[in-house]
Amino acid sequence: MTNIPTDLLRTFVTIKDLGGFTSAGEFLGRSQPAISLQIKKLEEILNTKIFLRGASLELTEDGEYLYEAARQMLEINDQIIAKVRGENVSGKVRLGIPNDFELAFLPKALRNLSRVYPNIIVEVDCEISKVILQRYQKGHYDIALAMEHAKENDDRDARDYRLETLEWVYKDSRLINGYDEPIPLIAYPQGCVYRAIMEESLQSQRHPFRFMYTSTSLLGIFSAVEEGLGITAMARSVIPEHLKHASSSKSLPELGQVCIGLYYKERELNVASRHVLDFLRSGIANIG
């Protein structure tokens, strides 16, 4: 039985992720010739070519298959090491996240993280996505989670984002069915994706609306809806069970989708940040 050394797989995945042999060598602390020899050895073991040699370093068909399989194997390897030696991993990770997704999955993700890595400290900052991204660009966070308009072609790692359907959230059905007055809206401040999409959708139908209540607090938004002050919009997976919601109605158009995605600088992630990233990816995949 032939075995594939995990160090060869890790080198291969790193080359692909960082886009080059030189970058991978710098990240892994090896020379470029050493990195090239590892790939040659991996190709010899598998008796195939995994890179189309050229400026873009594209993968062959076998290389594409190997890349996906190698990532899974390395994750299992790292999980085993982490479970047995978890206490040896420590560090502080700065995380920026939208208000509503803080409640949707973050507590569970951090609880799972702490069971395996009790010495990793995560500092969480909650804001609207526009502010989160501005702070991320200024280096305030190691990892940021932000909500944006959905893109037609998103070339990011599929584990780093999730498309969410937006729905209208309300207490009184009369607010969304045949309402003659301007639609009373509840929203986060200017810059919020939810707010922008609500405005765009209602303006496209020339339906009058007005903002009755604005808050930076998710609990403030919920309370205003519960008191019947108006309606709001949220990603389907974060809507509380006790509130009514619908994708559209007689008076309200469909809102479409938004994208909730992770932002990080691959080369700047330390060991603790990489582990937090893995748990966030799992949390995003299992929201709802």
Side-chain angles (χ1 to χ4, degrees):
M1 181 67 69
T2 302
N3 294 313
I4 307 174
T6 54
D7 62 325
L8 301 185
L9 294 177
R10 197 176 300 279
T11 295
F12 165 57
V13 169
T14 304
I15 291 171
K16 173 60 177 173
D17 287 344
L18 298 185
F21 282 62
T22 301
S23 299
E26 292 174 353
F27 182 81
L28 296 171
R30 298 190 181 99
S31 65
Q32 184 173 340
I35 293 292
S36 297
L37 284 174
Q38 285 190 304
I39 295 302
K40 182 179 180 182
K41 184 175 181 180
L42 181 59
E43 290 180 329
E44 289 174 349
I45 291 174
L46 297 174
N47 192 29
T48 189
K49 294 292 183 182
I50 55 179
F51 281 110
L52 293 171
R53 295 299 192 265
S56 60
L57 278 179
E58 294 183 7
L59 298 178
T60 62
E61 185 175 346
D62 286 339
E64 293 284 359
Y65 170 78
L66 177 63
Y67 177 71
E68 296 301 327
R71 294 195 70 132
Q72 295 176 29
M73 292 174 67
L74 290 172
E75 285 179 5
I76 293 172
N77 175 84
D78 294 346
Q79 287 170 6
I80 292 172
I81 298 297
K83 186 66 177 178
V84 177
R85 300 171 56 188
E87 293 186 357
N88 294 328
V89 179
S90 63
K92 181 174 71 175
V93 180
R94 301 166 301 166
L95 171 66
I97 187 170
N99 295 329
D100 41 350
F101 280 86
E102 178 194 16
L103 297 179
F105 80 97
L106 190 59
K108 182 177 180 181
L110 294 185
R111 182 174 67 249
N112 292 338
L113 173 75
S114 66
R115 289 172 179 169
V116 181
Y117 305 106
N119 292 329
I120 292 181
I121 299 171
V122 182
E123 291 186 351
V124 181
D125 184 23
C126 299
E127 255 293 356
I128 62 174
S129 292
K130 181 179 180 179
V131 175
I132 292 292
L133 289 174
Q134 289 173 343
R135 292 177 180 174
Y136 169 73
Q137 294 298 334
K138 294 178 181 179
H140 289 200
Y141 309 126
D142 302 299
I143 303 172
L145 187 69
M147 187 178 299
E148 301 173 286
H149 287 77
K151 304 173 185 176
E152 291 187 7
N153 297 305
D154 200 322
D155 58 0
R156 285 182 288 178
D157 188 317
R159 299 173 299 169
D160 286 342
Y161 70 95
R162 169 188 175 122
L163 294 178
E164 284 277 342
T165 299
L166 280 189
E167 294 199 347
W168 296 101
V169 183
Y170 56 95
K171 180 181 180 181
D172 189 341
S173 299
R174 289 176 298 178
L175 293 176
I176 68 166
N177 291 314
Y179 194 74
D180 295 327
E181 301 296 325
I183 296 291
L185 299 180
I186 298 168
Y188 288 114
Q190 287 285 355
C192 171
V193 174
Y194 291 159
R195 182 183 181 120
I197 292 178
M198 283 193 291
E199 287 184 288
E200 292 165 5
S201 299
L202 291 173
Q203 286 172 349
S204 69
Q205 286 199 345
R206 297 184 179 180
H207 200 302
F209 63 88
R210 57 177 175 162
F211 287 97
M212 291 293 297
Y213 186 87
T214 298
S215 174
T216 59
S217 164
L218 177 61
L219 294 179
I221 298 291
F222 285 160
S223 296
V225 173
E226 289 166 357
E227 291 299 325
L229 294 180
I231 63 176
T232 191
M234 286 188 178
R236 180 183 295 165
S237 64
V238 302
I239 300 173
E241 293 182 359
H242 68 280
L243 290 178
K244 298 176 182 178
H245 53 96
S247 58
S248 62
S249 73
K250 295 178 180 178
S251 301
L252 301 174
E254 290 189 359
L255 295 168
Q257 291 184 313
V258 291
C259 175
I260 179 75
L262 289 162
Y263 285 81
Y264 55 90
K265 295 180 175 65
E266 180 73 35
R267 299 184 185 184
E268 296 180 12
L269 292 180
N270 57 27
V271 175
S273 297
R274 290 183 181 278
H275 290 311
V276 171
L277 177 62
D278 288 339
F279 278 85
L280 291 174
R281 284 169 166 171
S282 177
I284 290 174
N286 294 290
I287 295 174

